[in-house]
Every structure is written in structure tokens, then in C-alpha cells.
């Protein structure tokens, strides 16, 4: 059964409703005081070294080192040697007075620059051994380094184009991953030839000059592998 229809509204009531429109719905927007509002976002500036292009960000790995270690290589030529007598072999010639003074000067400069090796590989010739002794007497850190005398350093330096590879093999053989600075002491022409090949620059090493080289690597094997020949950074030449 249908519900009965509602009776119509009186005409007077309809007239009053049409003359009063429906009220407008207003929405108030609350604006927080300035002290409560978060500050506007500020763009951050990132400083990038000009020495190398910026690398893409890598995800952090728990327990991983923050960066690849920098490995430093010092190629030091012995101090000036004395002429020696007629019966003195070249291998046995000692340092001259000037050579001893130069060794003292270079030892002080290496200490000031913070280039103190943890491992020293040295030719067994008299003049290189005497140069090393003076360095150790004047710089405490040098006396604490592990030292190996390598007889082949004397002969290899006279052979064209072989010193760089020979030094690489010796360093990888005697060093460990924990050692970050190695010094090799020897002779020309091999030492300045090796410094030139490692750095890709033309390097001249006079007596008691030291070439300071650097490359990155988790190990010495990796440093030599990545840098190769010509990829080592030459920081400069230390002179007396």
C-alpha cells in the first residue's frame, strides 16, 4: 500500500522561502603563525674537488672502507759519491762530503712533508747504504722502517727500460696491504727512467733527489694495475 501524498505547502509559505535564498557555506582556511610553520627548503651546495671529476654516489656498505687508500712511492737516488782509489770498485765507492750533507738536507725535507716510509728497499752499493744510514740518523721515523737490501737494484739500473718493472715486482713482493708508503733507493739511469715511466712526465733525478709518486689502490698490486705506466701522480721532486 502506498503512503498518502504529503499535502501541498500553502502559497504564502512558498513565497517566503523563495524570497530568502539558502545560506552560503563558507570554509575558513587556518594559517599557522610564522613561528609554527616549517622553514622553506634551502638548496645545499656541494663542494667538488677540481683535481678529479665528481664520482657518482655509491650506496654505503656496512664495514666497507670510506675510500680507497692512497699509496705513496718515493724513488730516491743516492747521494754524491767520492771518486775512490784505483782499486775501488764502483759498487764500493763511499759518499763524498757533499753527498753526506745532501742526505741530511733531504731527510729533513721528507720529514717536514710527512713522507716517511714504512718500508725501504735499498741497493746494497756502499753509497746507497751510507745515504740510508744518514737518513735514519736524522729522522726517527726512518729508523723504524723495515729495510731490505736488494743487490739487483745496483745492476738493473744500468739496463734500458727494465727498472720500472723490476721495482714493481720488488715492492709487491716485500710490502703488505697495510704499508702505504715505500721508498726505493738506487741509481741512475734506472731511477729517473722509472720515475718518468710511472708518472708519464720527464723526470730528472740528480744525486740525492727523490721523486714523490702517488696512486690509489686497496693493495700495491691493485695500485700498479690501475695506475699502470704513466698513471702515477707526481707530487714533486725533493732536492737538497
Amino acid at each position: 500500500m502506498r503512503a498518502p501524498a504529503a499535502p501541498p505547502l500553502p502559497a504564502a509559505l512558498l513565497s517566503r522561502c523563495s524570497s530568502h535564498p539558502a545560506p552560503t557555506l563558507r570554509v575558513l582556511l587556518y594559517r599557522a603563525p610564522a613561528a609554527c610553520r616549517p622553514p622553506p627548503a634551502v638548496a645545499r651546495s656541494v663542494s667538488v674537488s677540481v683535481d678529479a671529476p665528481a664520482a657518482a654516489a655509491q650506496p654505503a656498505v656496512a664495514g666497507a672502507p670510506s675510500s680507497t687508500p692512497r699509496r705513496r712511492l718515493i724513488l730516491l737516488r743516492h747521494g754524491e759519491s767520492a771518486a775512490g782509489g784505483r782499486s775501488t770498485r764502483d759498487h764500493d765507492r763511499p759518499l763524498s762530503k757533499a753527498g753526506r750533507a745532501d742526505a741530511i738536507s733531504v731527510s729533513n725535507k721528507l720529514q717536514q712533508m710527512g713522507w716517511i716510509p714504512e718500508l725501504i728497499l735499498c741497493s746494497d752499493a756502499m753509497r746507497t747504504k751510507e745515504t740510508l744510514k744518514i737518513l735514519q740518523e736524522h729522522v726517527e721515523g726512518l729508523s723504524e722502517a723495515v729495510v731490505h737490501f736488494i743487490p739487483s737494484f745496483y745492476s738493473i739500473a744500468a739496463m734500458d727500460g727494465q727498472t720500472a718493472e723490476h721495482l714493481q715486482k720488488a715492492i709487491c713482493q716485500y710490502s703488505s696491504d697495510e704499508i702505504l708508503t715505500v721508498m726505493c733507493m738506487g741509481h741512475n739511469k734506472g731511477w729517473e727512467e722509472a720515475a718518468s715511466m710511472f708518472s708519464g712526465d720527464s723526470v730528472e733525478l740528480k744525486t740525492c733527489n727523490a721523486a714523490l709518486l702517488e696512486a690509489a689502490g686497496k693493495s700495491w698490486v691493485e695500485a700498479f694495475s690501475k695506475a699502470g705506466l704513466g698513471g702515477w701522480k707526481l707530487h714533486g721532486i725533493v732536492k737538497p
Side-chain angles (χ1 to χ4, degrees), residues 32 40 112 115 129 132 150 157 221 226:
Q112 292 170 3
W115 281 65
K129 292 169 72 175
L132 173 58
I150 314 293
V221 172
K226 286 186 173 181

Side-chain angles (χ1 to χ4, degrees), residues 75 153 163-172 184 191 194 198:
L75 298 183
F153 277 13
T163 303
E165 182 180 358
H166 190 75
L167 291 178
Q168 176 179 336
K169 289 180 178 178
I171 292 168
C172 293
C184 294
W191 252 239
F198 284 143

Side-chain angles (χ1 to χ4, degrees), residues 82-123:
R86 290 185 177 181
S87 61
T88 304
R89 297 186 307 159
D90 178 75
H91 187 277
D92 298 332
R93 287 192 293 132
L95 289 180
S96 66
K97 183 178 180 179
R100 292 192 293 272
D102 287 348
I104 295 173
S105 175
V106 167
S107 68
N108 292 332
K109 291 182 178 180
L110 288 175
Q111 183 178 40
Q112 292 170 3
M113 297 176 68
W115 281 65
I116 304 299
E118 301 141 274
L119 172 66
I120 300 174
L121 305 180
C122 182
S123 161

